[in-house]
Amino acid sequence: MDRQVSALPEVGSRHVDPHSYPSGVAYLDGQYVPMSEAKVSVLDYGFLHSDATYDTVHVWNGRFFRLDLHIERFFGGLERLRMSIPYDRDAVAEILHNCVALSGHRSAYVEMLCTRGASPTFSRDPRDAVNRFMAFAIPLGSVANAEQMERGLHVAISHRVRIPPASVDPAIKNYHWLDLVRGLYDAYDNNAETALLLDFDGNVAEGPGFNVFTVKDGRLATPAAGVLPGITRRTVFDLCAELGIEAAATAVSVGALRGADEVFITSTAGGIMPVTRIDGVAIADGKVGPMTKRLKGLYWQRHEDPAWSSPVRYP
């Protein structure tokens, strides 16, 4: 019996996206567009191979916080990944300002990124790809929500090992997040809210998008190796230097984490955020500690400091 051959479907002139996105404005290919119109080709090596670098900065009360440091780190990543974009640092800053101003957001999560791009012939040689710069501004989000900020995050230690620096340099912000995502699911399975991963020596490394600090006897410590040297992490060091508080980047064992007087995490997405439980066990008395509160308060105060922040030029 002959099988009936159906007609081929038509090829549409454009893709109709049924998904929803946060409100915001993106920049790509010389155009500012709504977030819903910001698209990346499925042939882009950033999508296919996680071959990309990025940086994120936040806007609070209409002011960028430490924008110069974020842009400098982004250009460092471009150089080390042998990528290039047709913009200098000032031009990137202008694009980011425009994304925020056009979005109208007074508090925003702002990202600049560059993918390896796509090769016109789908060559396997990354040198044949045309690098692609993009940026966007959406409402500011946080690793910790309002309730977690108040009572402290509940964190689980995943025994998954963070990708070692010899394989992927964590100083270059990247999208190699599968170890972090699997760590998150480990945390969820253990009734925790986020995760910390270990390094190859079994010491604490970092979490999904954040660094971690311990406080013991008035001194701060944060993992030194195998982690992104975050801008908020650096800000904690800067604040401690001003206050005369000892802070060191060093190996942090799981035992030191569990035995700390206080624990907090740091990220552009949320700033300084307290941790009060590790694997279901309270840190010290289970309350947000005085050092965490002090540094958190100073951190947000500095958002109004012209030395550390710059205003968005809204229309």
Side-chain angles (χ1 to χ4, degrees):
M1 181 177 177
D2 293 335
R3 187 177 65 178
Q4 186 176 0
V5 178
S6 59
L8 287 171
E10 294 184 4
V11 176
S13 60
R14 62 184 297 272
H15 171 247
V16 178
D17 191 341
H19 304 285
S20 60
Y21 302 92
S23 64
V25 170
Y27 175 88
L28 64 165
D29 303 324
Q31 306 162 65
Y32 293 94
V33 298
M35 283 306 304
S36 59
E37 295 300 317
K39 311 296 180 185
V40 177
S41 169
V42 296
L43 296 180
D44 193 303
Y45 295 157
F47 171 72
L48 293 177
H49 306 312
S50 292
D51 191 353
T53 189
Y54 72 104
D55 215 293
T56 57
V57 59
H58 72 240
V59 169
W60 181 254
N61 286 340
R63 299 180 70 88
F64 279 98
F65 187 63
R66 313 204 83 172
L67 176 59
D68 55 337
L69 297 182
H70 287 279
I71 289 179
E72 196 59 37
R73 185 171 63 181
F74 176 63
F75 273 85
L78 291 176
E79 180 179 358
R80 291 155 86 174
L81 291 180
R82 303 191 186 190
M83 293 180 179
S84 62
I85 60 176
Y87 309 104
D88 62 15
R89 289 160 174 77
D90 289 340
V92 168
E94 182 71 16
I95 289 168
L96 299 182
H97 271 275
N98 291 342
C99 285
V100 177
L102 291 169
S103 76
H105 296 315
R106 304 289 300 183
S107 298
Y109 177 96
V110 188
E111 185 162 320
M112 62 201 99
L113 62 137
C114 183
T115 68
R116 187 68 63 187
S119 160
T121 61
F122 201 54
S123 164
R124 305 291 287 184
D125 188 335
R127 296 171 297 181
D128 294 335
V130 179
N131 300 164
R132 195 176 187 202
F133 172 79
M134 291 161 270
F136 62 82
I138 58 175
L140 181 62
S142 174
V143 174
N145 61 32
E147 177 192 347
Q148 293 162 351
M149 283 285 202
E150 184 68 23
R151 49 91 166 153
L153 280 157
H154 299 169
V155 175
I157 299 173
S158 171
H159 293 285
R160 299 187 190 280
V161 175
R162 187 71 174 108
I163 298 172
S167 298
V168 177
D169 184 353
I172 305 171
K173 281 184 72 72
N174 61 76
Y175 296 123
H176 296 279
W177 268 52
L178 286 183
D179 54 345
L180 296 171
V181 172
R182 294 187 72 193
L184 272 175
Y185 276 97
D186 290 339
Y188 300 152
D189 289 344
N190 286 284
N191 299 313
E193 294 157 345
T194 192
L196 280 168
L197 272 65
L198 306 179
D199 64 20
F200 258 91
D201 294 320
N203 292 314
V204 177
E206 60 187 348
F210 59 81
N211 297 115
V212 61
F213 281 81
T214 62
V215 181
K216 187 68 175 180
D217 298 328
R219 296 187 294 272
L220 274 66
T222 189
V227 302
L228 173 75
I231 303 300
T232 313
R233 175 181 182 266
R234 171 173 172 170
T235 300
V236 170
F237 279 108
D238 291 341
L239 291 173
C240 287
E242 291 180 4
L243 297 170
I245 296 170
E246 183 179 336
T250 185
V252 176
S253 68
V254 173
L257 183 75
R258 297 188 192 278
D261 299 328
E262 302 177 39
V263 175
F264 62 84
I265 63 173
T266 60
S267 173
T268 293
I272 295 173
M273 296 163 279
V275 173
T276 51
R277 299 185 76 84
I278 301 287
D279 291 335
V281 179
I283 298 296
D285 62 2
K287 298 179 181 178
V288 179
M291 182 73 78
T292 303
K293 290 180 180 178
R294 184 184 185 189
L295 291 171
K296 178 183 174 184
L298 289 170
Y299 170 80
W300 289 108
Q301 287 177 23
R302 296 304 291 268
H303 282 62
E304 301 298 325
D305 186 340
W308 287 20
S309 66
S310 54
V312 176
R313 299 177 296 276
Y314 293 97

